[in-house]
Amino acid sequence: MPNDPYNGSTDPYDQEQMEANQRRMVLLNLLRGRWHWAVLLAVVLATVGGYLGYNSQEDVYNARSYIDFKYDYSNIPINITDLSLYEPYVNFVNGERRKLKSLEVIENAFSQPEWQEHLSSRPDHLDEVTISDFAGSIEVSSPDKNETIVFVSVDNEHPATARAGLNSLLEAYRELQRQETTDQYGESLRMLTDRKAELEKERAGIDAQIKQALPDESADGLRTRRQIFETLLTNFEFELNEIDLILKPFRNLRENADPATIQELMLQDPEMVELLENKQAIEQRLVTMREVYGWGEQNRAVQQERRRLALVDRDIAELEDEWSRDAAQLVEERLPARIEELMAKRQVILEKVEELNAQVADLTTKLNSVAALERRRADNKESITSTEDKIRNFKASQELLAQENISRIEIGPPAATPTEPWNADKRKQMAGVGAIAGFFIGFGLVMAVGLMDRRLRHVEDTTAGLPDTNVLGILPTLPASLKDPEDAETAAHCVHHIRTLLQIGGSNRVFSITSPAAGSGKSSLATALGMSFAASGVRTLVIDCDLVGAGLSRRMGTVVHEPLDAVIRRQNLIDQADLAGALTQATAGARPLDQLLLEQGLMDQDQLDTAVRLQRDTALGVLDACSPSRLRSCVAATDVDNFFILPVGRARPSDASKLSPAAIRELVRQAREAFDIVLIDTGPVLGSLEASIAAAEADATILIVSRGDNKSLAARTLAQLRSVRANVAGVVFNHALDRDLAHTSYASAVSQDRRASRGVRKARLDQTRTARLGPLGTAVASFSDEDENPAGSSNGAAVHPNGSRNGTDREDTD
């Protein structure tokens, strides 16, 4: 099939699709023609794989229980909904899971009564369970990372062993957990007892320090004394304040003699004090007289008191006037003793205050020291009480632990003996895996065989093995004795299809036909293709340039002899002038030269027989045609109109050295002038010299490969053609199978109306069966348009243009 001419897409998606299609085609090509073997081997290996997979797993029974790690949420400092995020809990659970599979627990499980009892009744044909086997059969899993429950299971091929193993494991773990808990509580109790002893020792030390700080007096006595001293200090401070108030005006007078200061000093003058007291007494008596006795202002006693009051007010006014004029002098005269008395008293109070402050500070220091010691003693007493409480609680917990009423770990109930194997589904899965693996291995083996097979088996192998090359067409496999008209018609249609593609391809007129190896069918293709071109009304010349095989010349049985006049001239049998005259007459009268020579008496019969015998010993061919103007004398006509052959002639394999690019170029030039289409049948490219030369000089080259040819050889052939700059028109795949034809357009070559005339065609095919054209040529000749002149119906004798016999013989070679 021709390659897709459109390959210029730049769409990445299209390129990916093309690459995917190419990969898929490579796989399909590896399996093409081997599908029945691949399916058969895949089914067989899938069956074997399923059987082996199913039996690779023995029945395993699973005893299962659980352990609930009841974590104390009160110990978690923050609110965590996912325990798997809390590292202490994760570490705790992981430690317990490792403990379940530890050697200590397993060895303890082996010593449990249930396990020992089971071993005594375990069937003898079963293998002994070792510690390593038992450890490998233990599985610890968590259904949910946020759950506190952990499932524990033990697997074994014997159900009772699985049950006894799990129960013994859980019992061993329970004993270990109980022992660890007991040890933990005992250690904690010892630590608490030691702590209590340390606290009691510390309390004794505190008591000794308190006694040393208060050797003769209690703390309460010190507090009482300090309270008395603080009261005295308060009184002294009050007296000092009064003295300071009295002395304040005297100090202010020295600094600033303002009226207010003078007024305060004046009020301390004894005379002013006396006057003020008298005035107050008089006013008190007047109030009594007026309110008690009801005397009015006209009463003599009232009037007398009024006069006394006026005298006192006068004296007060005079004294105030005097103080206002000379207050400093009055202070020195009337108040010096008072001031000195107050200052002395103040100094005495200050000394007593200083002494009391020192005593209070000393008492405070002692009391603070004692208070700190008492606080330490109180804290110590509280710690001792708390420790004693913990000791009592631990002792109570030990009693409860002995009764198994408390534990942070709850172990599930004992497992029962399992009745069904837990791996039944797994055995089915393994069977499925084995079947799938065997199925693909079957296909893989066939594909591996296809990968190692370097033969061209199908037309797709040609497409994949020879990239960047068009497939011009395919030719069916035909029997040596072609009898079926439908096969012949299909083959003829395939050849006509190739010819049509070559004609559509352009202006190419000269085609070389070659192959990777001998036996690919290039001579048959050259013959059939030449007949197809001739049937289309095109003058076609087929040149047999295969000096080694000469298959075309042998198959067609064509021998071109030297002209009779040339033999007579070379042997000098008659005078040259007489020969020239006779030749002129023969040409003009269209008569045979031998008859004319006999009639004119120029030669007798013996001489003529000798010349004819010498003529039959000659054979013109491709080497002779390479000389200028010699092609026409070397070409033989055939029984098919427009179909001519240039045989190999007398050339031998050793004559290949005589062929040069110039000689082939001259041969092609002459052929172009005389014919419309020229087909050059050469030997294999890698085994002949003339193939590369002809391919380089031809307009295009047709590479024919046959089913069974080596891929590498075909690729090397194509590379060789391209290295000599040959224009490879395409590849023809020969000896194709029916299924190759079924996937091409050639499958529709025989239509219903043509099949209806199969009986008519049968007769023709029988007549041409013995023709020296081969099966492919016979098919083309049988179904050409020249119904009135079927191939092989004439004797094939050709007449030389000069009128003499140009002995074109057909040898009986099959």
Side-chain angles (χ1 to χ4, degrees):
M1 295 176 61
N3 291 342
D4 186 1
Y6 179 74
N7 56 6
S9 175
T10 59
D11 190 350
Y13 177 76
D14 292 342
Q15 294 180 357
E16 292 178 1
Q17 288 294 109
M18 291 174 60
E19 293 176 357
N21 291 335
Q22 290 177 356
R23 290 191 294 269
R24 184 166 56 253
M25 289 303 301
V26 169
L27 295 178
L28 292 177
N29 289 337
L30 292 177
L31 293 173
R32 192 175 301 277
R34 303 183 179 93
W35 281 102
H36 57 292
W37 292 111
V39 172
L40 178 61
L41 187 59
V43 171
V44 171
L45 293 182
T47 303
V48 174
Y51 176 80
L52 295 178
Y54 186 82
N55 289 280
S56 65
Q57 298 286 328
E58 297 181 353
D59 285 339
V60 177
Y61 294 87
N62 179 269
R64 189 178 180 89
S65 186
Y66 68 89
I67 299 176
D68 189 358
F69 299 102
K70 296 181 178 179
Y71 198 79
D72 188 4
Y73 287 86
S74 62
N75 294 329
I76 301 179
I78 57 177
N79 184 17
I80 296 180
T81 58
D82 188 355
L83 286 176
S84 63
L85 301 177
Y86 188 52
E87 186 175 358
Y89 171 78
V90 174
N91 294 336
F92 166 71
V93 173
N94 290 337
E96 296 302 315
R97 294 176 66 170
R98 288 191 296 269
K99 190 185 302 180
L100 276 167
K101 304 181 71 172
S102 65
L103 182 60
E104 180 181 3
V105 173
I106 295 176
E107 289 180 345
N108 191 11
F110 272 44
S111 63
Q112 293 297 319
E114 184 174 355
W115 180 256
Q116 294 297 326
E117 180 181 356
H118 167 70
L119 290 181
S120 61
S121 60
R122 180 177 167 87
D124 296 335
H125 69 276
L126 297 177
D127 296 335
E128 181 183 0
V129 181
T130 63
I131 291 180
S132 59
D133 295 338
F134 190 82
S137 66
I138 300 173
E139 183 178 356
V140 183
S141 61
S142 300
D144 190 347
K145 64 180 181 179
N146 200 29
E147 293 290 338
T148 60
I149 296 178
V150 173
F151 288 101
V152 184
S153 62
V154 173
D155 303 333
N156 195 271
E157 58 185 359
H158 193 261
T161 303
R163 182 260 306 157
L166 178 61
N167 292 338
S168 300
L169 179 70
L170 293 179
E171 184 60 30
Y173 176 73
R174 181 183 286 108
E175 291 181 359
L176 179 61
Q177 189 66 26
R178 185 186 297 113
Q179 183 62 40
E180 288 183 350
T181 306
T182 303
D183 295 342
Q184 179 181 0
Y185 277 96
E187 179 65 18
S188 299
L189 183 60
R190 185 189 62 78
M191 293 176 62
L192 288 173
T193 304
D194 294 342
R195 175 61 177 167
K196 179 182 177 183
E198 292 177 359
L199 291 174
E200 290 177 346
K201 183 178 179 180
E202 181 182 357
R203 183 177 62 180
I206 294 173
D207 292 340
Q209 292 178 8
I210 293 176
K211 187 175 181 180
Q212 183 179 0
L214 302 173
D216 301 327
E217 192 175 4
S218 64
D220 293 337
L222 290 178
R223 293 188 185 93
T224 302
R225 288 175 54 194
R226 188 179 67 174
Q227 186 176 4
I228 293 172
F229 291 161
E230 289 175 348
T231 302
L232 292 174
L233 284 173
T234 303
N235 294 333
F236 286 148
E237 288 176 358
F238 182 75
E239 290 182 6
L240 285 175
N241 290 333
E242 289 183 346
I243 292 173
D244 288 339
L245 288 174
I246 295 173
L247 293 176
K248 183 178 179 182
F250 296 99
R251 296 192 186 95
N252 292 339
L253 182 63
R254 294 189 183 96
E255 297 173 359
N256 184 15
D258 58 332
T261 302
I262 295 174
Q263 182 68 23
E264 290 181 2
L265 293 174
M266 182 184 64
L267 292 178
Q268 297 183 30
D269 188 353
E271 184 178 355
M272 178 62 73
V273 172
E274 183 181 358
L275 289 174
L276 291 175
E277 291 178 350
N278 290 334
K279 181 177 180 181
Q280 185 177 5
I282 294 171
E283 289 177 348
Q284 184 64 34
R285 287 196 298 272
L286 286 174
V287 171
T288 301
M289 291 179 183
R290 195 169 47 249
E291 294 181 359
V292 176
Y293 298 107
W295 295 344
E297 292 293 333
Q298 301 300 323
N299 187 285
R300 182 180 298 176
V302 173
Q303 291 179 355
Q304 184 178 359
E305 290 299 325
R306 288 288 185 187
R307 284 193 294 273
R308 290 177 181 173
L309 181 60
L311 291 175
V312 172
D313 288 337
R314 185 193 62 188
D315 293 340
I316 290 173
E318 291 178 354
L319 186 58
E320 288 178 351
D321 182 59
E322 185 178 359
W323 272 94
S324 63
R325 288 195 307 270
D326 196 3
Q329 184 177 358
L330 291 175
V331 169
E332 292 179 357
E333 291 178 354
R334 298 183 180 184
L335 300 177
R338 176 66 173 170
I339 294 173
E340 291 178 359
E341 179 184 358
L342 292 174
M343 293 298 292
K345 185 176 180 180
R346 184 175 183 278
Q347 183 62 34
V348 172
I349 292 175
L350 288 175
E351 292 176 356
K352 291 182 177 181
V353 168
E354 183 177 359
E355 180 181 358
L356 288 174
N357 282 332
Q359 293 179 359
V360 169
D362 182 58
L363 291 174
T364 301
T365 301
K366 290 182 178 181
L367 288 173
N368 289 339
S369 176
V370 172
L373 291 173
E374 288 179 344
R375 285 194 299 272
R376 287 180 57 192
R377 184 169 60 181
D379 294 340
N380 177 269
K381 182 178 180 181
E382 183 178 355
S383 298
I384 291 175
T385 302
S386 175
T387 303
E388 290 175 346
D389 292 339
K390 290 181 179 179
I391 291 174
R392 285 191 297 272
N393 291 335
F394 268 90
K395 289 180 179 181
S397 298
Q398 282 185 311
E399 296 176 358
L400 293 174
L401 179 63
Q403 301 173 3
E404 296 185 355
N405 289 331
I406 64 168
S407 178
R408 196 166 62 166
I409 299 176
E410 178 185 345
I411 300 177
T417 302
T419 57
E420 296 291 337
W422 72 274
N423 64 335
D425 293 337
K426 188 173 183 180
R427 297 188 73 182
K428 295 178 182 178
Q429 292 174 1
M430 293 302 297
V433 171
I436 293 174
F439 183 84
F440 283 104
I441 289 175
F443 273 93
L445 290 176
V446 175
M447 292 173 67
V449 172
L451 190 62
M452 293 185 293
D453 189 358
R454 303 305 300 168
R455 297 176 300 166
L456 296 172
R457 301 172 59 252
H458 302 279
V459 66
E460 286 80 5
D461 296 338
T462 304
T463 306
L466 302 177
D468 303 328
T469 304
N470 290 330
V471 177
L472 288 174
I474 61 177
L475 299 175
T477 300
L478 297 176
S481 179
L482 185 60
K483 297 180 179 180
D484 190 348
E486 186 174 346
D487 292 344
E489 189 172 7
T490 301
H493 181 82
C494 292
V495 175
H496 293 322
H497 180 85
I498 296 172
R499 183 257 305 169
T500 303
L501 291 179
L502 293 176
Q503 288 178 323
I504 295 175
S507 60
N508 296 330
R509 296 174 52 199
V510 181
F511 300 93
S512 70
I513 302 176
T514 186
S515 64
S520 297
K522 52 184 177 51
S523 297
S524 298
L525 176 62
T527 302
L529 200 57
M531 291 183 177
S532 178
F533 273 112
S536 66
V538 177
R539 282 175 55 84
T540 304
L541 172 64
V542 179
I543 301 175
D544 187 359
C545 201
D546 185 1
L547 303 186
V548 177
L552 180 63
S553 298
R554 289 200 311 270
R555 180 180 296 277
M556 297 296 296
T558 302
V559 179
V560 178
H561 299 297
E562 189 176 5
L564 182 61
D565 62 311
V567 174
I568 295 174
R569 187 180 296 108
R570 187 179 68 253
Q571 297 295 328
N572 198 19
L573 297 179
I574 63 174
D575 183 67
Q576 298 296 324
D578 293 338
L579 179 60
L583 183 61
T584 301
Q585 294 178 17
T587 302
R591 297 178 60 190
L593 179 61
D594 54 350
Q595 294 180 7
L596 189 60
L597 290 175
L598 286 175
E599 291 177 358
Q600 293 182 358
L602 297 177
M603 294 183 65
D604 56 21
Q605 187 64 43
D606 293 336
Q607 290 177 326
L608 186 59
D609 291 340
T610 299
V612 171
R613 186 174 62 254
L614 292 175
Q615 181 191 25
R616 290 185 179 277
D617 292 338
T618 62
L620 300 180
V622 63
L623 292 178
D624 302 289
C626 289
S627 300
S629 302
R630 292 291 305 275
L631 176 65
R632 295 177 61 86
S633 62
C634 300
V635 172
T638 65
D639 301 348
V640 179
D641 290 344
N642 297 321
F643 183 47
F644 300 88
I645 296 177
L646 174 59
V648 72
R650 65 178 180 275
R652 296 295 177 264
S654 59
D655 296 327
S657 59
K658 298 178 181 180
L659 288 177
S660 64
I664 297 296
R665 192 177 303 116
E666 175 61 24
L667 175 62
V668 172
R669 184 191 64 76
Q670 296 181 62
R672 287 181 188 274
E673 294 176 356
F675 300 95
D676 299 324
I677 293 295
V678 179
L679 303 177
I680 305 176
D681 179 20
T682 67
V685 173
L686 301 178
S688 62
L689 299 177
E690 69 277 3
S692 297
I693 300 175
E697 298 301 329
D699 295 337
T701 298
I702 301 171
L703 178 63
I704 181 171
V705 296
S706 178
R707 181 170 56 86
D709 285 351
N710 188 277
K711 295 180 183 178
S712 301
L713 197 62
R716 288 168 53 195
T717 298
L718 185 61
Q720 175 67 19
L721 291 175
R722 289 173 175 170
S723 67
V724 299
R725 301 182 182 277
N727 176 24
V728 181
V731 179
V732 175
F733 185 76
N734 194 16
H735 295 158
L737 299 176
D738 292 340
R739 54 176 165 266
D740 291 321
L741 291 172
H743 290 84
T744 64
S745 60
Y746 313 131
S748 60
V750 182
S751 59
Q752 295 296 330
D753 58 339
R754 299 181 69 179
R755 292 178 183 177
S757 61
R758 184 176 301 174
V760 179
R761 294 294 186 185
K762 177 69 175 177
R764 172 174 296 177
L765 191 58
D766 292 339
Q767 295 174 5
T768 61
R769 182 177 55 186
T770 59
R772 298 177 179 88
L773 301 177
L776 188 62
T778 301
V780 176
S782 300
F783 288 90
S784 64
D785 293 334
E786 299 295 328
D787 294 339
E788 67 279 1
N789 185 22
S793 60
S794 65
N795 57 13
V799 179
H800 193 270
N802 59 14
S804 63
R805 177 183 293 179
N806 186 10
T808 303
D809 298 335
R810 301 180 65 95
E811 300 177 353
D812 293 336
T813 58
D814 293 332

mmCIF file of all heavy atoms in Angstrom, residues 688-705:
data_model
loop_
_atom_site.group_PDB
_atom_site.id
_atom_site.type_symbol
_atom_site.label_atom_id
_atom_site.label_comp_id
_atom_site.label_asym_id
_atom_site.label_seq_id
_atom_site.Cartn_x
_atom_site.Cartn_y
_atom_site.Cartn_z
ATOM 1 N N SER A 688 25.494 -7.729 -7.870
ATOM 2 C CA SER A 688 25.830 -7.496 -9.280
ATOM 3 C C SER A 688 26.353 -6.075 -9.435
ATOM 4 O O SER A 688 26.050 -5.191 -8.635
ATOM 5 C CB SER A 688 24.601 -7.720 -10.165
ATOM 6 O OG SER A 688 23.575 -6.801 -9.836
ATOM 7 N N LEU A 689 27.116 -5.904 -10.528
ATOM 8 C CA LEU A 689 27.653 -4.582 -10.821
ATOM 9 C C LEU A 689 26.686 -3.754 -11.643
ATOM 10 O O LEU A 689 26.600 -2.530 -11.489
ATOM 11 C CB LEU A 689 28.988 -4.709 -11.586
ATOM 12 C CG LEU A 689 30.117 -5.444 -10.850
ATOM 13 C CD1 LEU A 689 31.335 -5.559 -11.745
ATOM 14 C CD2 LEU A 689 30.480 -4.696 -9.579
ATOM 15 N N GLU A 690 25.981 -4.430 -12.587
ATOM 16 C CA GLU A 690 25.148 -3.691 -13.519
ATOM 17 C C GLU A 690 23.924 -3.078 -12.851
ATOM 18 O O GLU A 690 23.355 -2.106 -13.362
ATOM 19 C CB GLU A 690 24.695 -4.602 -14.662
ATOM 20 C CG GLU A 690 23.693 -5.688 -14.272
ATOM 21 C CD GLU A 690 24.358 -6.918 -13.687
ATOM 22 O OE1 GLU A 690 25.610 -6.911 -13.522
ATOM 23 O OE2 GLU A 690 23.650 -7.890 -13.386
ATOM 24 N N ALA A 691 23.493 -3.619 -11.673
ATOM 25 C CA ALA A 691 22.272 -3.115 -11.037
ATOM 26 C C ALA A 691 22.447 -1.667 -10.590
ATOM 27 O O ALA A 691 21.575 -0.821 -10.820
ATOM 28 C CB ALA A 691 21.897 -3.994 -9.853
ATOM 29 N N SER A 692 23.555 -1.364 -9.928
ATOM 30 C CA SER A 692 23.779 0.006 -9.459
ATOM 31 C C SER A 692 23.944 0.964 -10.620
ATOM 32 O O SER A 692 23.452 2.105 -10.596
ATOM 33 C CB SER A 692 25.015 0.043 -8.558
ATOM 34 O OG SER A 692 24.824 -0.754 -7.405
ATOM 35 N N ILE A 693 24.655 0.510 -11.707
ATOM 36 C CA ILE A 693 24.858 1.385 -12.865
ATOM 37 C C ILE A 693 23.523 1.678 -13.533
ATOM 38 O O ILE A 693 23.202 2.831 -13.856
ATOM 39 C CB ILE A 693 25.833 0.727 -13.855
ATOM 40 C CG1 ILE A 693 27.192 0.484 -13.183
ATOM 41 C CG2 ILE A 693 26.002 1.592 -15.093
ATOM 42 C CD1 ILE A 693 28.171 -0.265 -14.048
ATOM 43 N N ALA A 694 22.724 0.647 -13.759
ATOM 44 C CA ALA A 694 21.434 0.840 -14.408
ATOM 45 C C ALA A 694 20.510 1.709 -13.557
ATOM 46 O O ALA A 694 19.771 2.548 -14.075
ATOM 47 C CB ALA A 694 20.783 -0.518 -14.685
ATOM 48 N N ALA A 695 20.533 1.505 -12.231
ATOM 49 C CA ALA A 695 19.683 2.313 -11.354
ATOM 50 C C ALA A 695 20.079 3.778 -11.409
ATOM 51 O O ALA A 695 19.222 4.672 -11.353
ATOM 52 C CB ALA A 695 19.761 1.787 -9.927
ATOM 53 N N ALA A 696 21.381 4.032 -11.503
ATOM 54 C CA ALA A 696 21.833 5.427 -11.544
ATOM 55 C C ALA A 696 21.460 6.099 -12.856
ATOM 56 O O ALA A 696 21.216 7.312 -12.889
ATOM 57 C CB ALA A 696 23.350 5.479 -11.329
ATOM 58 N N GLU A 697 21.420 5.337 -13.998
ATOM 59 C CA GLU A 697 21.134 5.934 -15.301
ATOM 60 C C GLU A 697 19.650 5.953 -15.619
ATOM 61 O O GLU A 697 19.219 6.717 -16.480
ATOM 62 C CB GLU A 697 21.883 5.146 -16.387
ATOM 63 C CG GLU A 697 23.396 5.181 -16.243
ATOM 64 C CD GLU A 697 23.937 6.605 -16.298
ATOM 65 O OE1 GLU A 697 23.322 7.444 -17.002
ATOM 66 O OE2 GLU A 697 24.969 6.874 -15.655
ATOM 67 N N ALA A 698 18.856 5.137 -14.970
ATOM 68 C CA ALA A 698 17.427 5.090 -15.251
ATOM 69 C C ALA A 698 16.729 6.295 -14.631
ATOM 70 O O ALA A 698 17.234 6.944 -13.709
ATOM 71 C CB ALA A 698 16.832 3.791 -14.711
ATOM 72 N N ASP A 699 15.515 6.565 -15.172
ATOM 73 C CA ASP A 699 14.722 7.658 -14.601
ATOM 74 C C ASP A 699 14.230 7.293 -13.201
ATOM 75 O O ASP A 699 14.137 8.157 -12.326
ATOM 76 C CB ASP A 699 13.515 7.959 -15.493
ATOM 77 C CG ASP A 699 13.946 8.483 -16.860
ATOM 78 O OD1 ASP A 699 15.075 9.015 -16.965
ATOM 79 O OD2 ASP A 699 13.162 8.338 -17.815
ATOM 80 N N ALA A 700 13.899 6.048 -12.981
ATOM 81 C CA ALA A 700 13.405 5.591 -11.675
ATOM 82 C C ALA A 700 13.727 4.115 -11.533
ATOM 83 O O ALA A 700 13.950 3.406 -12.519
ATOM 84 C CB ALA A 700 11.907 5.823 -11.535
ATOM 85 N N THR A 701 13.745 3.682 -10.278
ATOM 86 C CA THR A 701 14.073 2.292 -9.974
ATOM 87 C C THR A 701 12.931 1.669 -9.197
ATOM 88 O O THR A 701 12.383 2.282 -8.263
ATOM 89 C CB THR A 701 15.374 2.203 -9.161
ATOM 90 O OG1 THR A 701 16.441 2.742 -9.936
ATOM 91 C CG2 THR A 701 15.686 0.759 -8.795
ATOM 92 N N ILE A 702 12.591 0.442 -9.593
ATOM 93 C CA ILE A 702 11.558 -0.317 -8.891
ATOM 94 C C ILE A 702 12.256 -1.419 -8.111
ATOM 95 O O ILE A 702 12.983 -2.234 -8.689
ATOM 96 C CB ILE A 702 10.542 -0.913 -9.869
ATOM 97 C CG1 ILE A 702 9.870 0.194 -10.698
ATOM 98 C CG2 ILE A 702 9.488 -1.727 -9.126
ATOM 99 C CD1 ILE A 702 9.020 -0.325 -11.834
ATOM 100 N N LEU A 703 12.064 -1.410 -6.790
ATOM 101 C CA LEU A 703 12.667 -2.434 -5.929
ATOM 102 C C LEU A 703 11.591 -3.461 -5.594
ATOM 103 O O LEU A 703 10.566 -3.117 -5.000
ATOM 104 C CB LEU A 703 13.222 -1.805 -4.646
ATOM 105 C CG LEU A 703 13.830 -2.773 -3.637
ATOM 106 C CD1 LEU A 703 15.039 -3.487 -4.225
ATOM 107 C CD2 LEU A 703 14.214 -2.032 -2.347
ATOM 108 N N ILE A 704 11.824 -4.702 -5.975
ATOM 109 C CA ILE A 704 10.874 -5.761 -5.676
ATOM 110 C C ILE A 704 11.446 -6.632 -4.563
ATOM 111 O O ILE A 704 12.620 -7.028 -4.606
ATOM 112 C CB ILE A 704 10.545 -6.605 -6.928
ATOM 113 C CG1 ILE A 704 9.527 -7.705 -6.567
ATOM 114 C CG2 ILE A 704 11.792 -7.177 -7.572
ATOM 115 C CD1 ILE A 704 8.986 -8.451 -7.785
ATOM 116 N N VAL A 705 10.632 -6.859 -3.562
ATOM 117 C CA VAL A 705 11.011 -7.733 -2.462
ATOM 118 C C VAL A 705 9.983 -8.847 -2.392
ATOM 119 O O VAL A 705 8.813 -8.661 -2.766
ATOM 120 C CB VAL A 705 11.093 -6.977 -1.122
ATOM 121 C CG1 VAL A 705 12.180 -5.936 -1.144
ATOM 122 C CG2 VAL A 705 9.754 -6.359 -0.766
#
